[in-house]
Amino acid sequence: MKYPAKSFRQRCSVMVDFLKLRRDKGLTMEEYDQFHMIDRPASFRQHFLGVNEQRYYLDLLNPVKYYILARNKYVAHQMLSAAGLPLATLFCYYDPEAGPQQGPQTAHNTEEVLRVLQAQGVTSCVVKTTETSHGSNVQVVTDIDYSQEGLCTFHDGSTCQMSSLLGNKPLMFESRIRQSAQMATFNDSSVNTVRFMTLLFPDGTAEVAATFIKIGRSGRCVDNAGAGGNVDACVDTATGTLQDAICFDGWEKITPVTHHPDSNAPLDGVQIEHWEEICTEVKRFQQAFPFVKAAGWDIAITDNGPVIVEVNDMWDRTGQLFIHRGWRNDIRRCYMAWKNTNAQYEFGRLPNELSPRRLQRIARK
């Protein structure tokens, strides 16, 4: 463990504390280290949801037979679009294994991609892979020169041919989302999104369990820390007010801020415009996507309301750091509501390092 200790007794105290949380909550050593559990108040420790217990709940709430509907961005786009929910426009889906009869927007080589995009007059778009997360492999194309065999210019000024951009992984070419003026004020090079943690209950009602905002750094096109650091803040679920903003440059480089470090835009105390209407819409999104009953939505705020960037069926635990509380009780309450309906699924999502018997004991507490 990384905790400094001045004496053997202190080191033993930390180890005993970890083993207790490991026994009672199934926490991993990584979680104990990253969240500095030894220094956390009792309420945070009690309500923190670790990965092992989270998987146990999500095996029921987001069963493996449905998780692909959220995990694969192309499949999710098709499902959400069919439900009439607001998304970026899908210009083209590239898959090297696709055949010529897969649809008018599907392409499997460079010539077809250029033909599909040019037919729609696309000169600027967002390109992303279908299976990655944390903002990796997302590129903003600011110009496509069809007269030069699809020469692509990116947001940072670099260029490459379309043939070099394509590879052996599926790609989505989508329209660029224009965020509201307020959201652009924080950082205008990225679409800054609000993460909504939503829950769907057996009676059809949906709740917003937690909210926080992710803001990119100057010159970066994504808002996620996975692309090299970002700014995060709790969003008060009731009022939409930003609180406790931080610069997140990795677990060992977390710095409290009141203003964005690049734009100097104020953060703490700023209220997101039209918050009540946005929350109502996001709850409608959850109701329209009942296959995933505990979802993490990345939502862009535009002048026309919230727009879905992506939906997550399995999310990391970092948001509990941003909102300064654990969301175990919220997820567990939804889990118990569905468990009481006797819903059962044959397979779990991933091998869990804890035994089913031990997980059942942890969940009962």
Side-chain angles (χ1 to χ4, degrees), residues 139 149-154 158-166:
Q139 301 184 73
E149 300 180 347
L151 181 66
C152 297
T153 302
F154 299 98
S158 62
T159 61
C160 80
Q161 299 296 144
M162 181 65 72
S163 57
S164 298
L165 179 61
L166 306 179

Side-chain angles (χ1 to χ4, degrees), residues 1-4 29-37 39-40 225 229 246-256 318 321-322:
M1 292 186 182
K2 302 173 184 176
Y3 292 99
M29 184 175 292
E30 180 184 52
E31 290 169 339
Y32 190 88
D33 274 344
Q34 288 181 336
F35 287 87
H36 293 272
M37 285 295 181
D39 300 320
R40 295 290 174 184
I246 60 171
C247 282
F248 187 88
D249 293 311
W251 287 97
E252 301 304 316
K253 295 181 180 179
I254 299 174
T255 308
T318 315
L321 170 72
F322 303 152

Side-chain angles (χ1 to χ4, degrees), residues 45 51 55 102 109 139 158 178 204 218 220 226 241 297:
R45 290 158 57 97
V51 64
R55 287 176 179 171
Q102 298 301 121
N109 58 36
Q139 301 184 73
S158 62
R178 295 191 178 277
S218 179
R220 294 177 183 155
T241 302
W297 303 84

Side-chain angles (χ1 to χ4, degrees), residues 307-324:
V307 172
I308 300 167
V309 175
E310 66 178 51
V311 57
N312 299 276
D313 69 301
M314 174 68 83
W315 54 88
D316 62 27
R317 285 83 61 207
T318 315
Q320 295 171 100
L321 170 72
F322 303 152
I323 67 174
H324 294 277

Side-chain angles (χ1 to χ4, degrees), residues 26-92:
L27 257 63
T28 66
M29 184 175 292
E30 180 184 52
E31 290 169 339
Y32 190 88
D33 274 344
Q34 288 181 336
F35 287 87
H36 293 272
M37 285 295 181
I38 192 70
D39 300 320
R40 295 290 174 184
S43 59
F44 184 91
R45 290 158 57 97
Q46 179 182 356
H47 300 306
F48 178 81
L49 183 64
V51 64
N52 289 310
E53 191 177 3
Q54 173 180 286
R55 287 176 179 171
Y56 180 74
Y57 297 144
L58 296 188
D59 278 346
L60 177 66
L61 295 174
N62 304 341
V64 69
K65 70 175 185 178
Y66 289 140
Y67 86 90
I68 190 64
L69 301 181
R71 185 64 54 87
N72 183 287
K73 292 181 175 63
Y74 175 66
V75 175
H77 190 285
Q78 298 297 82
M79 293 291 295
L80 297 169
S81 178
L85 303 184
L87 299 149
T89 301
L90 178 62
F91 295 134
C92 180

Side-chain angles (χ1 to χ4, degrees), residues 227-248:
N230 69 344
V231 177
D232 305 277
C234 171
V235 179
D236 182 82
T237 304
T239 65
T241 302
L242 276 59
Q243 303 171 344
D244 303 313
I246 60 171
C247 282
F248 187 88

